[in-house]
Amino acid sequence: MNAIITASELAGDLAGENPPVVLDVRWQLSVAKAAGEPPFDGRAAYEAGHVPGAVYVDLDRELAGAPGGRGRHPLPDIALFGSAMRRAGVSAGRPVVVYDGGQGWAAARAWWLLRWTGHPDVRVLDGGLPSWQGGLSDDVPARVEGDFEPLPGATGLLDADGAAALAGSGVLFDARAGERYRGEVEPIDRVGGHIPGAVSAPTNDNVGPDGRFLSAEDLRDRFKALGASDGTAVGVYCGSGVSGAHEVLALAVAGIPAALYVGSWSEWSSDPARPVAVGPDPR
């Protein structure tokens, strides 16, 4: 099953006999802003206009736990996550399509969580809401309770020790911007740099100017050039497990399975005892 769906395919599926549940996960990374500038409000954006029938999901409250020692966007409590997905209408026997404002990070986080906890049919709208070719609605659909019961997978998830080991035994991709990987700037976390042995693979290079993914062939060539050869174990991390999910999605489009270190740099760098590498070289 393809991990992404085009706007025209989604429109066709919504008109079909078994339309997907559509989740709107619009979100933006919270960083220091000019005094008085309000933070991005995903729910307000949803209420102003969304794909007809879509249900809003809050990334910070429903797709992540409280920030702390496990990182800025740690795994949510699985029971609470399951309850949120059922409230959104998610059922095991019904397809799910997720979109965000176009960057793809938030939608990928929802996609990864649903896939990791056992949903068999989840796709991300390629290009997000800007790619949607139909009209928008400001109607909030009536609540229809789903039956999805999340069952966390035995694979696909890395902790700090697993990420460190994979950087030596396989390939660990750092999905952040290159300047953060090199330690030249660090606008959010305690210290700049990267996990020793990790390879810089900025997630923005997985998409074209329109925000849509490169072709599966181009993505496969990109990741193989960075070390993801056949049979190599692959993992990804980022700042807090959001853009890294987008890289895992890009790898899935390329046909390359990968695990996600959800705690990512926000967890790794919070412990002064963990080693930090700087500069362009992995080590």
Side-chain angles (χ1 to χ4, degrees):
M1 183 192 70
N2 199 346
I4 57 176
I5 185 172
T6 66
S8 60
E9 289 171 337
L10 175 57
D13 287 356
L14 287 172
E17 295 182 356
N18 186 31
V21 173
V22 181
L23 306 181
D24 181 314
V25 198
R26 274 178 277 181
W27 170 88
Q28 289 182 11
L29 179 66
S30 295
V31 297
K33 294 184 179 291
E37 183 178 349
F40 176 78
D41 188 335
R43 183 172 290 279
Y46 165 82
E47 291 175 349
H50 50 264
V51 173
V55 178
Y56 178 70
V57 172
D58 189 310
L59 185 148
D60 289 316
R61 292 184 175 90
E62 297 173 317
L63 303 181
R70 295 185 301 137
R72 280 181 280 109
H73 290 102
L75 283 176
D77 177 270
I78 295 300
L80 294 179
F81 168 68
S83 178
M85 293 299 97
R86 289 190 295 275
R87 285 197 306 272
V90 175
S91 293
R94 188 175 174 190
V96 177
V97 172
V98 192
Y99 72 86
D100 58 23
Q103 189 177 39
W105 295 3
R109 172 71 176 226
W111 167 85
W112 181 84
L113 271 169
L114 283 165
R115 292 292 294 151
W116 178 66
T117 55
H119 197 288
D121 190 350
V122 190
R123 288 173 289 175
V124 169
L125 177 60
D126 195 16
L129 188 61
S131 73
W132 177 246
Q133 299 163 356
L136 299 179
S137 172
D138 59 6
D139 292 335
V140 177
R143 177 177 168 179
V144 178
E145 189 83 6
D147 64 13
F148 178 63
E149 293 288 347
L151 295 173
T155 60
L157 177 67
L158 294 170
D159 59 12
D161 290 340
L166 187 59
S169 63
V171 60
L172 180 66
F173 288 134
D174 184 318
R176 298 171 301 157
E179 58 268 25
R180 291 185 69 191
Y181 170 89
R182 295 188 295 271
E184 297 166 359
V185 298
E186 182 44 64
I188 306 172
D189 294 313
R190 185 185 67 83
V191 64
H194 58 269
I195 296 174
V199 175
S200 181
T203 196
N204 288 342
D205 292 345
N206 296 323
V207 299
D210 59 359
R212 301 183 189 185
F213 281 104
L214 304 179
S215 70
E217 182 179 3
D218 286 346
L219 287 170
R220 195 175 302 117
D221 289 344
R222 180 195 184 215
F223 290 122
K224 286 190 174 181
L226 291 171
S229 57
D230 293 341
T232 301
V234 177
V236 180
Y237 75 96
C238 58
S240 66
V242 179
S243 66
H246 189 268
E247 186 118 301
V248 174
L249 175 59
L251 284 154
V253 172
I256 302 170
L260 177 65
Y261 173 25
V262 174
S264 285
W265 189 248
S266 60
E267 179 187 39
W268 182 277
S269 64
S270 69
D271 184 351
R274 294 194 182 106
V276 171
V278 295
D281 294 330
R283 297 196 179 277

